[in-house]
Amino acid sequence: MTTASTPFAAVSALDALEASFGQQAWFSALAEAPTAAELADVRLYLDGLGRGAAAIEWVGDLATAREIANRPDWDRAWADAEQAAVAA
């Protein structure tokens, strides 16, 4: 059994998220509040990357998301964990 801190757990979480992609209506819900299922998907993803304690902040548009991701003070530990999972 793997733990959430290992890349293998992240791969498992990414596989579970990928399995749900066919059910997603990408970008159709911009500016709407997230559903409980969407928040559960995000939590599953973060848990799999070992970042389960990360706060979830929902943004309403792609420009805001891009701005947040490009801020120099943004915590990029999740991106490092994601890259490790992809490499695994």
Side-chain angles (χ1 to χ4, degrees):
M1 180 175 187
T2 59
T3 64
S5 63
T6 67
F8 301 110
V11 171
S12 176
L14 292 174
D15 287 343
L17 185 61
E18 181 182 15
S20 73
F21 282 175
Q23 304 164 16
Q24 305 296 327
W26 296 105
F27 306 111
S28 66
L30 280 176
E32 293 183 21
T35 66
E38 289 168 330
L39 289 172
D41 284 345
V42 172
R43 186 56 58 202
L44 173 69
Y45 178 71
L46 291 172
D47 287 346
L49 293 177
R51 301 289 298 157
I56 298 172
E57 181 180 340
W58 210 260
V59 297
D61 61 80
L62 295 177
T64 302
R66 180 177 41 248
E67 180 183 310
I68 291 168
N70 287 326
R71 283 193 330 223
D73 64 334
W74 184 51
D75 178 9
R76 300 202 44 100
W78 76 268
D80 294 339
E82 188 175 70
Q83 287 178 345
V86 168

Coordinates of all heavy atoms in Angstrom, one line a residue:
M1 N 0.8 -1.2 0.0 CA 0.0 0.0 0.0 C 0.9 1.2 0.0 O 1.9 1.3 0.7 CB -0.9 0.0 1.2 CG -1.8 1.1 1.3 SD -2.9 0.9 2.7 CE -4.0 2.3 2.4
T2 N 0.5 2.2 -0.8 CA 1.3 3.5 -0.9 C 0.7 4.5 0.0 O -0.5 4.4 0.4 CB 1.4 4.0 -2.3 OG1 0.0 4.2 -2.8 CG2 2.1 3.0 -3.2
T3 N 1.4 5.5 0.4 CA 0.9 6.6 1.1 C 0.8 7.8 0.2 O 1.3 7.8 -0.9 CB 1.9 7.0 2.3 OG1 3.1 7.4 1.8 CG2 2.1 5.8 3.2
A4 N 0.0 8.8 0.7 CA -0.2 10.0 -0.1 C 1.1 10.8 -0.4 O 1.1 11.6 -1.3 CB -1.2 10.9 0.6
S5 N 2.1 10.5 0.3 CA 3.4 11.2 0.1 C 4.2 10.6 -0.9 O 5.3 11.1 -1.3 CB 4.2 11.3 1.4 OG 4.5 10.0 1.9
T6 N 3.9 9.5 -1.5 CA 4.7 8.8 -2.5 C 4.1 9.2 -3.9 O 2.9 9.4 -4.1 CB 4.6 7.3 -2.4 OG1 3.3 6.8 -2.7 CG2 5.1 6.8 -1.0
P7 N 5.0 9.2 -4.9 CA 4.6 9.5 -6.3 C 3.5 8.4 -6.8 O 2.7 8.7 -7.6 CB 5.8 9.4 -7.1 CG 6.9 9.6 -6.2 CD 6.5 9.1 -4.8
F8 N 3.6 7.2 -6.3 CA 2.7 6.2 -6.7 C 1.3 6.5 -6.3 O 0.3 6.2 -7.0 CB 3.1 4.8 -6.3 CG 4.5 4.4 -6.8 CD1 5.6 4.4 -5.9 CD2 4.7 4.2 -8.1 CE1 6.8 4.1 -6.4 CE2 6.0 3.9 -8.6 CZ 7.0 3.8 -7.7
A9 N 1.1 7.0 -5.1 CA -0.2 7.4 -4.7 C -0.8 8.6 -5.6 O -1.9 8.6 -5.9 CB -0.2 7.9 -3.2
A10 N 0.1 9.5 -6.0 CA -0.3 10.5 -6.9 C -0.7 10.0 -8.2 O -1.7 10.5 -8.8 CB 0.9 11.5 -7.0
V11 N 0.0 9.0 -8.7 CA -0.4 8.4 -10.0 C -1.8 7.8 -9.9 O -2.6 7.9 -10.7 CB 0.7 7.4 -10.4 CG1 0.2 6.6 -11.6 CG2 2.0 8.1 -10.8
S12 N -2.0 7.1 -8.8 CA -3.3 6.5 -8.6 C -4.4 7.6 -8.5 O -5.5 7.4 -9.1 CB -3.3 5.7 -7.2 OG -4.6 5.2 -7.0
A13 N -4.2 8.7 -7.8 CA -5.1 9.8 -7.8 C -5.3 10.4 -9.2 O -6.5 10.7 -9.5 CB -4.7 10.8 -6.8
L14 N -4.3 10.5 -9.9 CA -4.4 11.1 -11.3 C -5.1 10.2 -12.2 O -6.0 10.6 -13.0 CB -3.0 11.4 -11.8 CG -2.2 12.5 -11.2 CD1 -0.8 12.5 -11.7 CD2 -2.8 13.8 -11.3
D15 N -4.9 8.8 -12.0 CA -5.7 7.9 -12.8 C -7.2 8.0 -12.5 O -8.0 7.9 -13.4 CB -5.2 6.4 -12.5 CG -3.9 6.1 -13.1 OD1 -3.4 6.9 -14.0 OD2 -3.2 5.2 -12.7
A16 N -7.5 8.1 -11.2 CA -8.9 8.3 -10.8 C -9.5 9.5 -11.4 O -10.7 9.5 -11.8 CB -9.1 8.2 -9.3
L17 N -8.8 10.6 -11.3 CA -9.3 11.9 -11.9 C -9.5 11.7 -13.4 O -10.5 12.2 -14.0 CB -8.3 13.0 -11.6 CG -8.8 14.4 -12.0 CD1 -10.1 14.8 -11.3 CD2 -7.7 15.4 -11.6
E18 N -8.5 11.1 -14.1 CA -8.6 11.0 -15.5 C -9.8 10.1 -15.9 O -10.5 10.4 -16.9 CB -7.3 10.3 -16.1 CG -7.3 10.1 -17.6 CD -6.1 9.4 -18.1 OE1 -5.4 8.8 -17.3 OE2 -5.9 9.4 -19.3
A19 N -10.1 9.1 -15.1 CA -11.3 8.3 -15.4 C -12.6 9.1 -15.4 O -13.5 8.7 -16.1 CB -11.4 7.1 -14.4
S20 N -12.6 10.2 -14.7 CA -13.8 11.0 -14.6 C -13.9 12.1 -15.7 O -14.9 12.8 -15.9 CB -13.9 11.7 -13.2 OG -13.0 12.8 -13.1
F21 N -12.8 12.2 -16.5 CA -12.7 13.3 -17.5 C -13.9 13.2 -18.5 O -14.4 14.2 -19.0 CB -11.4 13.3 -18.3 CG -10.3 13.9 -17.5 CD1 -9.0 13.9 -18.0 CD2 -10.5 14.5 -16.3 CE1 -8.0 14.4 -17.4 CE2 -9.5 15.1 -15.6 CZ -8.2 15.1 -16.1
G22 N -14.3 12.0 -18.9 CA -15.4 11.9 -19.9 C -16.7 12.4 -19.4 O -17.6 12.7 -20.2
Q23 N -16.8 12.6 -18.1 CA -18.0 13.1 -17.5 C -18.0 14.6 -17.3 O -18.9 15.2 -16.8 CB -18.3 12.4 -16.2 CG -18.3 10.9 -16.3 CD -18.2 10.2 -14.9 OE1 -18.3 10.9 -13.9 NE2 -17.9 9.0 -15.0
Q24 N -16.8 15.3 -17.6 CA -16.7 16.7 -17.3 C -17.1 17.5 -18.5 O -16.9 17.2 -19.6 CB -15.2 17.0 -17.1 CG -14.5 16.1 -16.0 CD -15.2 16.4 -14.6 OE1 -15.6 17.5 -14.3 NE2 -15.2 15.4 -13.8
A25 N -17.7 18.6 -18.2 CA -18.1 19.7 -19.1 C -17.1 20.8 -18.9 O -17.4 21.8 -18.3 CB -19.6 20.1 -18.9
W26 N -16.0 20.7 -19.5 CA -14.9 21.6 -19.3 C -15.3 23.0 -19.7 O -15.8 23.3 -20.8 CB -13.6 21.2 -20.0 CG -13.1 19.9 -19.5 CD1 -13.2 18.7 -20.1 CD2 -12.5 19.7 -18.2 NE1 -12.6 17.7 -19.2 CE2 -12.2 18.3 -18.1 CE3 -12.1 20.5 -17.2 CZ2 -11.6 17.8 -17.0 CZ3 -11.5 20.0 -16.0 CH2 -11.2 18.6 -16.0
F27 N -15.0 24.0 -18.8 CA -15.2 25.4 -19.0 C -16.7 25.8 -19.0 O -17.0 27.0 -19.2 CB -14.5 25.9 -20.2 CG -13.0 25.6 -20.2 CD1 -12.5 24.6 -21.1 CD2 -12.1 26.2 -19.3 CE1 -11.2 24.3 -21.1 CE2 -10.8 25.8 -19.3 CZ -10.3 24.9 -20.2
S28 N -17.6 24.9 -19.0 CA -19.0 25.3 -19.0 C -19.5 25.9 -17.7 O -20.5 26.6 -17.7 CB -19.9 24.1 -19.4 OG -19.8 23.1 -18.3
A29 N -18.8 25.8 -16.7 CA -19.2 26.3 -15.4 C -18.3 27.4 -14.9 O -18.4 27.7 -13.7 CB -19.2 25.1 -14.4
L30 N -17.6 28.1 -15.8 CA -16.8 29.2 -15.3 C -17.7 30.2 -14.7 O -18.8 30.5 -15.1 CB -16.1 29.9 -16.5 CG -14.8 29.2 -17.0 CD1 -14.3 29.9 -18.3 CD2 -13.8 29.1 -16.0
A31 N -17.2 30.8 -13.6 CA -17.8 31.8 -12.8 C -18.9 31.3 -11.9 O -19.6 32.0 -11.2 CB -18.4 33.0 -13.6
E32 N -19.2 29.9 -11.9 CA -20.1 29.3 -11.0 C -19.4 28.7 -9.8 O -18.3 28.3 -9.9 CB -20.9 28.2 -11.8 CG -21.8 28.8 -12.9 CD -22.6 27.7 -13.6 OE1 -22.8 26.6 -12.9 OE2 -23.0 27.9 -14.7
A33 N -20.1 28.6 -8.7 CA -19.6 28.0 -7.5 C -19.4 26.5 -7.8 O -20.1 25.9 -8.6 CB -20.5 28.2 -6.4
P34 N -18.3 25.9 -7.2 CA -18.0 24.5 -7.5 C -19.1 23.6 -6.8 O -19.7 24.0 -5.8 CB -16.7 24.3 -6.8 CG -16.6 25.3 -5.8 CD -17.3 26.5 -6.3
T35 N -19.3 22.5 -7.4 CA -20.2 21.5 -6.8 C -19.5 20.7 -5.8 O -18.2 20.7 -5.7 CB -20.8 20.6 -7.9 OG1 -19.7 19.8 -8.4 CG2 -21.5 21.3 -9.0
A36 N -20.2 20.0 -4.9 CA -19.5 19.1 -4.0 C -18.7 18.1 -4.7 O -17.6 17.8 -4.2 CB -20.6 18.5 -3.1
A37 N -19.1 17.6 -5.8 CA -18.4 16.6 -6.6 C -17.1 17.2 -7.1 O -16.1 16.5 -7.1 CB -19.2 16.0 -7.7
E38 N -17.2 18.4 -7.6 CA -15.9 19.1 -8.1 C -14.9 19.3 -7.0 O -13.7 19.0 -7.2 CB -16.3 20.4 -8.8 CG -17.0 20.2 -10.1 CD -17.7 21.5 -10.6 OE1 -18.0 22.4 -9.8 OE2 -17.8 21.6 -11.9
L39 N -15.4 19.7 -5.9 CA -14.5 19.9 -4.7 C -13.9 18.6 -4.3 O -12.7 18.5 -3.9 CB -15.2 20.6 -3.6 CG -15.5 22.1 -3.8 CD1 -16.4 22.6 -2.7 CD2 -14.3 22.9 -3.9
A40 N -14.7 17.5 -4.3 CA -14.2 16.2 -4.0 C -13.1 15.7 -5.0 O -12.1 15.1 -4.6 CB -15.3 15.2 -3.9
D41 N -13.3 16.0 -6.3 CA -12.3 15.7 -7.3 C -11.0 16.5 -7.0 O -9.9 15.9 -7.1 CB -12.8 16.0 -8.7 CG -13.8 15.1 -9.2 OD1 -13.9 13.9 -8.7 OD2 -14.4 15.4 -10.2
V42 N -11.1 17.7 -6.7 CA -9.9 18.5 -6.4 C -9.2 18.0 -5.2 O -8.0 17.8 -5.1 CB -10.3 20.0 -6.2 CG1 -9.1 20.8 -5.7 CG2 -10.8 20.6 -7.5
R43 N -10.0 17.6 -4.1 CA -9.4 17.1 -2.9 C -8.7 15.8 -3.2 O -7.6 15.5 -2.7 CB -10.4 16.9 -1.8 CG -9.9 16.5 -0.5 CD -8.9 17.4 0.1 NE -9.3 18.8 0.3 CZ -8.5 19.8 0.4 NH1 -7.2 19.7 0.4 NH2 -8.9 21.1 0.5
L44 N -9.3 14.9 -4.0 CA -8.7 13.6 -4.4 C -7.3 13.9 -5.1 O -6.3 13.2 -4.8 CB -9.6 12.8 -5.3 CG -9.1 11.6 -5.9 CD1 -8.9 10.5 -4.8 CD2 -10.0 11.0 -7.0
Y45 N -7.3 14.8 -6.0 CA -6.1 15.1 -6.7 C -5.0 15.6 -5.8 O -3.9 15.2 -5.8 CB -6.5 16.2 -7.8 CG -5.4 16.7 -8.6 CD1 -4.8 15.9 -9.6 CD2 -4.9 18.0 -8.4 CE1 -3.7 16.4 -10.4 CE2 -3.8 18.5 -9.2 CZ -3.3 17.7 -10.2 OH -2.2 18.1 -10.9
L46 N -5.4 16.6 -4.9 CA -4.4 17.1 -4.0 C -3.9 16.1 -3.0 O -2.7 16.0 -2.7 CB -5.0 18.3 -3.2 CG -5.2 19.6 -4.1 CD1 -6.0 20.6 -3.3 CD2 -3.9 20.1 -4.6
D47 N -4.8 15.2 -2.5 CA -4.4 14.1 -1.6 C -3.4 13.2 -2.3 O -2.4 12.8 -1.7 CB -5.6 13.3 -1.1 CG -6.5 14.1 -0.1 OD1 -6.0 15.1 0.4 OD2 -7.6 13.6 0.1
G48 N -3.7 12.9 -3.5 CA -2.8 12.0 -4.3 C -1.4 12.6 -4.5 O -0.4 11.9 -4.6
L49 N -1.3 13.9 -4.6 CA 0.0 14.6 -4.7 C 0.6 14.8 -3.4 O 1.7 15.4 -3.3 CB -0.2 15.9 -5.5 CG -0.6 15.8 -6.9 CD1 -0.9 17.2 -7.5 CD2 0.4 15.0 -7.7
G50 N 0.0 14.4 -2.3 CA 0.6 14.7 -1.0 C 0.4 16.1 -0.5 O 1.1 16.6 0.3
R51 N -0.6 16.8 -1.1 CA -0.8 18.2 -0.8 C -2.2 18.4 -0.3 O -2.9 19.4 -0.4 CB -0.7 19.1 -2.1 CG 0.7 19.0 -2.8 CD 1.7 19.7 -2.0 NE 1.4 21.1 -1.9 CZ 1.8 21.9 -1.0 NH1 2.7 21.5 -0.1 NH2 1.5 23.2 -0.9
G52 N -2.7 17.4 0.5 CA -4.1 17.4 1.0 C -4.4 18.5 1.9 O -5.6 18.9 2.0
A53 N -3.4 19.1 2.5 CA -3.7 20.2 3.4 C -3.8 21.6 2.7 O -4.1 22.6 3.3 CB -2.5 20.3 4.5
A54 N -3.6 21.6 1.4 CA -3.6 22.8 0.6 C -5.0 23.4 0.6 O -6.0 22.6 0.5 CB -3.2 22.6 -0.8
A55 N -5.1 24.7 0.8 CA -6.4 25.3 0.7 C -6.9 25.4 -0.8 O -6.1 25.5 -1.7 CB -6.3 26.7 1.2
I56 N -8.2 25.2 -1.0 CA -8.8 25.3 -2.3 C -9.4 26.6 -2.5 O -10.3 27.0 -1.7 CB -9.8 24.2 -2.5 CG1 -9.2 22.8 -2.4 CG2 -10.5 24.3 -3.9 CD1 -10.2 21.7 -2.4
E57 N -9.0 27.4 -3.5 CA -9.6 28.7 -3.8 C -10.1 28.6 -5.2 O -9.4 28.4 -6.1 CB -8.5 29.8 -3.7 CG -9.1 31.2 -3.9 CD -8.0 32.3 -3.8 OE1 -7.0 32.0 -3.2 OE2 -8.3 33.3 -4.4
W58 N -11.4 28.7 -5.3 CA -12.1 28.6 -6.6 C -12.0 30.0 -7.3 O -12.4 31.0 -6.7 CB -13.5 28.2 -6.4 CG -14.0 27.4 -7.6 CD1 -14.8 27.8 -8.6 CD2 -13.8 26.0 -7.9 NE1 -15.1 26.8 -9.4 CE2 -14.5 25.7 -9.0 CE3 -13.1 25.0 -7.2 CZ2 -14.5 24.4 -9.6 CZ3 -13.1 23.7 -7.8 CH2 -13.8 23.5 -9.0
V59 N -11.6 30.1 -8.5 CA -11.6 31.4 -9.2 C -12.6 31.3 -10.4 O -12.8 30.2 -10.9 CB -10.2 31.8 -9.7 CG1 -9.2 32.0 -8.5 CG2 -9.6 30.7 -10.6
G60 N -13.1 32.4 -10.8 CA -14.2 32.4 -11.8 C -13.8 32.6 -13.2 O -14.6 32.5 -14.1
D61 N -12.5 32.8 -13.5 CA -12.1 33.0 -14.9 C -10.7 32.6 -15.1 O -9.9 32.5 -14.2 CB -12.4 34.4 -15.4 CG -11.6 35.4 -14.6 OD1 -10.4 35.6 -14.9 OD2 -12.1 36.1 -13.6
L62 N -10.4 32.3 -16.4 CA -9.0 31.8 -16.7 C -8.0 32.9 -16.5 O -6.8 32.6 -16.1 CB -9.0 31.3 -18.1 CG -9.9 30.1 -18.4 CD1 -9.8 29.7 -19.9 CD2 -9.4 28.9 -17.5
A63 N -8.3 34.2 -16.7 CA -7.3 35.2 -16.6 C -6.9 35.3 -15.1 O -5.7 35.5 -14.8 CB -7.9 36.6 -17.0
T64 N -7.8 35.2 -14.2 CA -7.5 35.2 -12.7 C -6.6 34.0 -12.4 O -5.6 34.1 -11.6 CB -8.7 35.3 -11.9 OG1 -9.5 36.4 -12.2 CG2 -8.4 35.3 -10.4
A65 N -7.0 32.8 -12.9 CA -6.2 31.6 -12.6 C -4.8 31.8 -13.1 O -3.8 31.4 -12.4 CB -6.9 30.4 -13.3
R66 N -4.6 32.3 -14.3 CA -3.3 32.5 -14.9 C -2.5 33.5 -14.0 O -1.3 33.3 -13.7 CB -3.4 33.0 -16.3 CG -2.0 33.3 -17.0 CD -2.1 33.7 -18.5 NE -3.2 34.7 -18.7 CZ -4.2 34.4 -19.5 NH1 -4.4 33.2 -20.0 NH2 -5.2 35.3 -19.7
E67 N -3.1 34.6 -13.6 CA -2.5 35.6 -12.8 C -2.0 35.0 -11.5 O -0.8 35.2 -11.1 CB -3.5 36.7 -12.5 CG -2.9 37.8 -11.6 CD -3.9 38.9 -11.3 OE1 -4.6 39.3 -12.2 OE2 -4.1 39.2 -10.1
I68 N -2.8 34.1 -10.8 CA -2.4 33.5 -9.6 C -1.2 32.6 -9.8 O -0.2 32.6 -9.1 CB -3.6 32.7 -9.0 CG1 -4.6 33.7 -8.5 CG2 -3.1 31.8 -7.8 CD1 -6.0 33.0 -8.1
A69 N -1.3 31.8 -10.9 CA -0.2 30.8 -11.2 C 1.1 31.5 -11.5 O 2.2 30.9 -11.3 CB -0.7 29.9 -12.3
N70 N 1.0 32.7 -12.0 CA 2.3 33.4 -12.4 C 2.8 34.3 -11.3 O 3.9 34.9 -11.5 CB 2.0 34.2 -13.7 CG 1.9 33.3 -14.9 OD1 2.5 32.3 -15.0 ND2 1.0 33.7 -15.8
R71 N 2.2 34.4 -10.2 CA 2.7 35.2 -9.1 C 4.0 34.6 -8.5 O 4.0 33.4 -8.3 CB 1.7 35.3 -8.0 CG 0.5 36.3 -8.2 CD -0.3 36.7 -7.0 NE -0.4 35.6 -6.0 CZ -1.5 35.3 -5.4 NH1 -2.6 35.9 -5.6 NH2 -1.5 34.3 -4.5
P72 N 5.0 35.4 -8.3 CA 6.2 34.9 -7.8 C 6.1 34.3 -6.4 O 6.9 33.5 -5.9 CB 7.2 36.0 -7.9 CG 6.4 37.3 -7.9 CD 5.1 36.8 -8.6
D73 N 5.2 34.8 -5.6 CA 5.0 34.3 -4.2 C 4.1 33.2 -4.1 O 3.8 32.7 -3.0 CB 4.5 35.5 -3.3 CG 3.1 36.0 -3.7 OD1 2.7 35.8 -4.9 OD2 2.5 36.5 -2.8
W74 N 3.6 32.6 -5.2 CA 2.7 31.5 -5.1 C 3.4 30.2 -4.7 O 4.5 30.0 -5.2 CB 2.0 31.4 -6.5 CG 1.0 30.3 -6.6 CD1 -0.1 30.1 -5.8 CD2 0.9 29.3 -7.6 NE1 -0.9 29.1 -6.2 CE2 -0.3 28.5 -7.3 CE3 1.6 28.9 -8.7 CZ2 -0.7 27.5 -8.0 CZ3 1.2 27.9 -9.4 CH2 0.1 27.1 -9.1
D75 N 2.8 29.4 -3.9 CA 3.4 28.1 -3.4 C 3.3 27.1 -4.6 O 2.2 26.7 -5.0 CB 2.6 27.6 -2.2 CG 3.1 26.3 -1.8 OD1 4.2 25.8 -2.2 OD2 2.5 25.7 -0.9
R76 N 4.5 26.8 -5.1 CA 4.5 25.9 -6.3 C 4.8 24.4 -5.9 O 5.1 23.6 -6.8 CB 5.5 26.4 -7.3 CG 5.2 27.8 -7.8 CD 5.8 28.2 -9.1 NE 5.7 27.2 -10.1 CZ 4.8 27.2 -11.0 NH1 3.9 28.1 -11.1 NH2 4.9 26.2 -12.0
A77 N 4.7 24.1 -4.6 CA 5.0 22.7 -4.2 C 4.1 21.7 -4.9 O 4.5 20.6 -5.2 CB 4.9 22.6 -2.7
W78 N 2.9 22.1 -5.2 CA 2.0 21.1 -5.8 C 2.5 20.8 -7.2 O 2.4 19.7 -7.7 CB 0.5 21.6 -5.9 CG 0.3 22.7 -6.9 CD1 0.4 24.1 -6.7 CD2 0.0 22.5 -8.3 NE1 0.1 24.7 -7.9 CE2 -0.1 23.8 -8.9 CE3 -0.2 21.4 -9.1 CZ2 -0.4 24.0 -10.2 CZ3 -0.5 21.6 -10.4 CH2 -0.6 22.9 -11.0
A79 N 3.0 21.9 -7.9 CA 3.5 21.6 -9.3 C 4.7 20.7 -9.3 O 4.8 19.8 -10.1 CB 3.9 23.0 -9.9
D80 N 5.6 20.8 -8.3 CA 6.7 19.9 -8.1 C 6.2 18.5 -7.9 O 6.7 17.5 -8.5 CB 7.6 20.4 -7.0 CG 8.3 21.7 -7.3 OD1 8.4 22.1 -8.5 OD2 8.7 22.4 -6.3
A81 N 5.2 18.4 -7.0 CA 4.6 17.0 -6.8 C 4.0 16.4 -8.0 O 4.1 15.2 -8.3 CB 3.6 17.1 -5.6
E82 N 3.3 17.3 -8.8 CA 2.7 16.8 -10.0 C 3.7 16.3 -11.0 O 3.6 15.3 -11.7 CB 1.8 17.9 -10.6 CG 1.0 17.5 -11.8 CD 0.1 18.6 -12.2 OE1 0.6 19.6 -12.8 OE2 -1.1 18.5 -12.1
Q83 N 4.8 17.1 -11.1 CA 5.9 16.7 -12.0 C 6.5 15.4 -11.6 O 6.9 14.5 -12.4 CB 6.9 17.8 -12.1 CG 6.5 19.0 -12.9 CD 7.5 20.1 -13.0 OE1 8.5 20.1 -12.2 NE2 7.3 21.0 -13.9
A84 N 6.7 15.2 -10.3 CA 7.2 13.9 -9.8 C 6.3 12.7 -10.1 O 6.7 11.6 -10.5 CB 7.4 14.0 -8.3
A85 N 5.0 13.0 -10.0 CA 4.0 11.9 -10.3 C 4.0 11.6 -11.8 O 4.0 10.4 -12.2 CB 2.6 12.4 -9.9
V86 N 4.2 12.6 -12.7 CA 4.2 12.3 -14.1 C 5.5 11.6 -14.4 O 5.5 10.6 -15.2 CB 4.2 13.7 -14.9 CG1 4.6 13.5 -16.3 CG2 2.9 14.3 -14.8
A87 N 6.6 11.9 -13.8 CA 7.9 11.2 -14.0 C 7.8 9.7 -13.5 O 8.4 8.8 -14.1 CB 9.0 11.9 -13.3
A88 N 7.0 9.5 -12.4 CA 6.9 8.1 -11.9 C 6.0 7.3 -12.9 O 6.2 6.1 -13.0 CB 6.2 8.2 -10.5

